Amino acid sequence: MKLYEYLAKGILRQAGVPTAPGEVVDTPEQARAAAERIGPAAVKAQVLVGGRGKAGGIRFGNTPAEVEAAARAILGMDLKGYRVERLYVEGRLDIAQELYVSISTDRGARRPLVMASAKGGVEIEEVADEDIVRRHLDVEVGAWPYVGREVARSVGLEGAQAAAFADIVTRLYDVYRRYDAELVEINPLVVAPDGRLVAADARLNVDDAAAFRHPDLPVVEEGTELERRVRAIGLAYVELDGDIAVMANGAGMAMATLDAIQHYGGRPANFLDAGGGASVEPTAQALEVLVSMHPKVIFINIFGGITRCDDVARALLQVRASRGIPVPVVVRLVGTNEEEGVRLLREAGIEAFRDMGPAAEKAVALAGGRS
Amino acid sequence: MAILVGSETRVVVQGITGNQGSFHTAQMLAYGTRVVAGTSPSRVGGREHGVPIFATVREAVEKEGANASVVFVPARFATDAALEAIDAGVGVLVLVPEHMPVQDTMAVLAFARRRGVTVVGPNTFGVLSTEGRCKMGIPPNHIYRPGPVGLVARSGTLSYEIAASLSAAGLGQTTAVGIGGDPVAGLTFVDVLERFEADPETRAVVMVGEIGGTAEEVAAEFIHRMTKPVVAYLAGRAAPPGKRMGHAGAIIERGRGTLESKRRALTEAGARVAEMPWEVAGLVREALGARAG
């Protein structure tokens, strides 16, 4: 779960990380009022996409009138598919240097990782490897001040600045732990002309699996409307841009099913994992979603381990009876209770496939073949 | 022989009276697993499928000699269950639950390292040894046959698909191991490959990977040095970047974890990489034939 910049900033500020004064607004008039309190300001679209600046989502104003005009220009904008409905008006910073610092989870090392660079202000993946300092932490020890001091030296900081940087690293680690973060990032961490360090932009991504421990965090819904709808019924779903709707059981099988469609020249419309042991009801709900997508073909690929083939067949027949399925359905069905599942489908005039390859090939052919 | 588990494995099921725990305990027993104890906050002193129920793992270890635990409690209680099992002195811990907080997993793994405990998962289908008739986890009993192939996978159902196709082709398995679909996991591909390389019964290894992270690339460095042939299938060719494909770990982030990078690394390491899951069995036969000739 990603948090909006203003929420991330609020959490950092609370943790003692220096930030510029800022206010959340959702009208140009509020932006003007905020600027009267704050002074020259940056007006920043609150959307969960990177590269807001380049896309026109950040503007500056020196007077309240300019800030209001900037807000008017940004509000309602479409930023990489997201409509801007909220702005963060933040005191404008003078910049001597831009640094980068983050704490994230290193999957391979299975440890938290501090990353820092003297070349901040651009996405970290665009920074050359030799310009990034990496320092793993031990979860049983944490980030003591010496870690921050060492990293500060490695990015070329000295004296009071190094001390301020070290302090920020310790506080970032506190936020990382307290909020079950996958990533907490300050980029850029601005060095002001007077030498102070200030967090100019911040990201805080919280582990979805730990959301139950943070009921106070506002849930920021991500993804398209359909993606949200399917996730609400508890299934993993990703929208793609093809015309063959897909359902499989298990994440790996669902991925492999998309790959098989692509292998035969077709285009999958979605990723849908109906679960490793789904029963009739959730499977029927998943199918209804596929029908509502108006695909050219629906492809169901089931290897019944825990999932029972007869349950899948019943779900399919239930949806067909209740709302109709106006497009061809290709079913591959093997595993637990296969005979019963295949028999139910055959009685309803559907011939199930035994093998995944030929089934995928058939689905692609029915969708109009190679595209 | 088999790796990780075998006929000497005495299993305690944490959460034995829950829906999942109860169902899979019956399945594990049917497979031949020595399930010697279960834990549950309710029905202490009773039995589930004939297995005695205890309040704590420590009692299961002391009274029934449990030396391995499989966890079926809901994800938010799994951290506590895992730490309890490690502290009670089990040697192997299988974490089935999906959606354990990642920072909890890191803490569990750190504790396990200190105590010398092998952790499988989280978010795994578990481990199954054909020779030792031991299953800790959830894979369907009927698809595996004894044979020369070691199978290691991130994903459950996809590995069942491949195990079944191997069995159908007359290529049985020594052990099937699920390393799990989470971003941070206990056993890695390399840990399992090392064990298969050292296992005299295993003559070839099938590795089922997917997009996300760099575990397959790291595995490739080890495969370079292996004497046994490795056949790999990688899922997620059609996955767009930045989207989680069901598994928490299956995501291409900031340019890392792409299928192409994994395929290149594995191919360069000498592994045979199947384009599609149904090609795996043929490649294994070819690899074993080539080795014998």
Side-chain angles (χ1 to χ4, degrees), chain B residues 2-3 13 29 31 46 50 60-61 98 101 103 112-113 133-134 157 159 162 183 215 220 239 251 258 261 277 288:
Chain B
I3 66 166
V13 178
L29 286 166
Y31 191 72
V61 169
E98 180 173 10
Q103 293 198 15
R113 264 196 302 274
R133 297 304 287 181
C134 181
T157 45
S159 84
I162 289 171
I251 179 168
T258 64
S261 152
L288 285 170

Side-chain angles (χ1 to χ4, degrees), chain A residues 107 110 140 203 207 259 332, chain B residues 102 114 161 186 236 249 254:
Chain A
R107 303 171 52 151
R110 295 172 275 181
E140 292 180 298
R203 275 187 202 170
D207 180 3
D259 297 349
R332 182 273 181 136
Chain B
V102 171
R114 213 139 44 80
E161 167 93 26
R254 303 187 157 194

Side-chain angles (χ1 to χ4, degrees), chain A residues 106-112 136-141, chain B residues 82-83 86-87 90-91 93 103-119 184-188 191:
Chain A
D106 183 332
R107 303 171 52 151
R110 295 172 275 181
R111 284 188 166 85
H136 284 102
L137 301 175
D138 187 325
V139 275
E140 292 180 298
V141 177
Chain B
L83 295 171
I86 294 166
D87 210 355
V90 304
L93 175 63
Q103 293 198 15
D104 287 11
T105 302
M106 286 195 289
V108 166
L109 296 181
F111 187 36
R113 264 196 302 274
R114 213 139 44 80
R115 295 292 187 93
V117 177
T118 302
V119 179
V184 173
L187 275 191
T188 64
D191 295 328

Side-chain angles (χ1 to χ4, degrees), chain A residues 119-148:
Chain A
K119 299 192 173 165
V122 295
E123 296 282 314
I124 191 67
E125 46 270 49
E126 291 164 27
V127 177
D129 228 29
E130 63 266 24
D131 291 326
I132 301 173
V133 176
R134 290 186 172 81
R135 177 65 198 254
H136 284 102
L137 301 175
D138 187 325
V139 275
E140 292 180 298
V141 177
W144 289 77
Y146 78 90
V147 175

Side-chain angles (χ1 to χ4, degrees), chain A:
Chain A
M1 180 171 67
K2 295 173 181 165
L3 298 189
Y4 289 115
E5 176 197 3
Y6 75 92
L7 290 168
K9 285 256 177 73
I11 287 168
L12 289 179
R13 192 176 298 130
Q14 226 172 21
V17 174
T19 56
E23 294 181 29
V24 184
V25 303
D26 42 33
T27 67
E29 295 72 29
Q30 287 173 357
R32 181 190 191 103
E36 277 162 5
R37 288 184 285 272
I38 291 170
V43 180
K44 302 158 99 175
Q46 296 300 289
V47 285
L48 295 172
V49 294
R52 283 175 306 172
K54 271 187 209 155
I58 299 177
R59 292 179 185 227
F60 300 93
N62 285 316
T63 64
E66 282 177 22
V67 166
E68 180 179 343
R72 208 173 291 285
I74 301 175
L75 276 170
M77 246 177 103
D78 186 285
L79 223 57
K80 303 184 180 178
Y82 292 86
R83 196 182 136 84
V84 180
E85 287 169 352
R86 190 168 283 184
L87 303 171
Y88 193 51
V89 179
E90 189 177 49
R92 191 169 178 172
L93 294 166
D94 292 322
I95 296 170
Q97 194 193 350
E98 293 182 309
L99 308 173
Y100 173 95
V101 62
S102 72
I103 297 180
S104 58
T105 301
D106 183 332
R107 303 171 52 151
R110 295 172 275 181
R111 284 188 166 85
L113 172 68
V114 182
M115 290 209 294
S117 175
K119 299 192 173 165
V122 295
E123 296 282 314
I124 191 67
E125 46 270 49
E126 291 164 27
V127 177
D129 228 29
E130 63 266 24
D131 291 326
I132 301 173
V133 176
R134 290 186 172 81
R135 177 65 198 254
H136 284 102
L137 301 175
D138 187 325
V139 275
E140 292 180 298
V141 177
W144 289 77
Y146 78 90
V147 175
R149 287 199 299 272
E150 289 180 5
V151 175
R153 298 288 296 166
S154 309
V155 294
L157 299 178
E158 295 176 349
Q161 256 171 35
F165 185 91
D167 185 56
I168 288 172
V169 170
T170 310
R171 291 173 193 277
L172 271 189
Y173 187 73
D174 287 342
V175 169
Y176 170 82
R177 293 289 283 170
R178 193 176 324 140
Y179 287 90
D180 281 294
E182 295 172 333
L183 167 74
V184 53
E185 177 185 80
I186 302 176
N187 186 26
L189 175 61
V190 163
V191 183
D194 65 4
R196 284 180 314 121
L197 300 183
V198 184
D201 196 1
R203 275 187 202 170
L204 177 54
N205 299 352
V206 175
D207 180 3
D208 288 328
F212 71 92
R213 282 203 285 245
H214 306 285
D216 47 321
L217 287 181
V219 175
V220 183
E221 291 285 359
E222 286 175 68
T224 66
E225 198 191 314
L226 191 59
E227 284 178 345
R228 293 182 207 180
R229 216 174 80 211
V230 186
R231 282 186 207 136
I233 56 178
L235 299 171
Y237 182 87
V238 176
E239 203 169 302
L240 304 170
D241 59 5
D243 48 22
I244 301 175
V246 180
M247 181 176 90
N249 59 328
M253 268 292 270
M255 273 188 271
T257 306
L258 306 188
D259 297 349
I261 288 172
Q262 219 173 55
H263 179 75
Y264 288 111
R267 294 186 309 126
N270 68 289
F271 166 98
L272 197 163
D273 170 8
S279 53
V280 178
E281 230 6 84
T283 307
Q285 283 184 337
L287 272 169
E288 280 177 12
V289 170
L290 296 190
V291 175
S292 76
M293 291 163 57
H294 307 295
K296 282 190 186 163
V297 177
I298 293 175
F299 179 28
I300 301 171
N301 183 19
I302 303 295
F303 185 95
I306 308 306
T307 304
R308 291 166 39 169
C309 292
D310 55 326
D311 279 350
V312 175
R314 285 196 183 89
L316 176 58
L317 299 178
Q318 182 183 313
V319 172
R320 200 166 74 161
S322 67
R323 60 174 290 170
I325 302 179
V327 297
V329 182
V330 177
V331 186
R332 182 273 181 136
L333 202 57
V334 291
T336 306
N337 292 4
E338 173 183 332
E339 280 164 25
E340 175 69 359
V342 168
R343 186 186 65 77
L344 286 169
L345 291 182
R346 183 171 296 146
E347 281 172 5
I350 299 171
E351 210 49 55
F353 284 79
R354 287 218 82 239
D355 293 314
M356 177 172 164
E361 201 171 4
K362 175 76 175 176
V364 172
L366 285 172
R370 292 185 172 268
S371 47

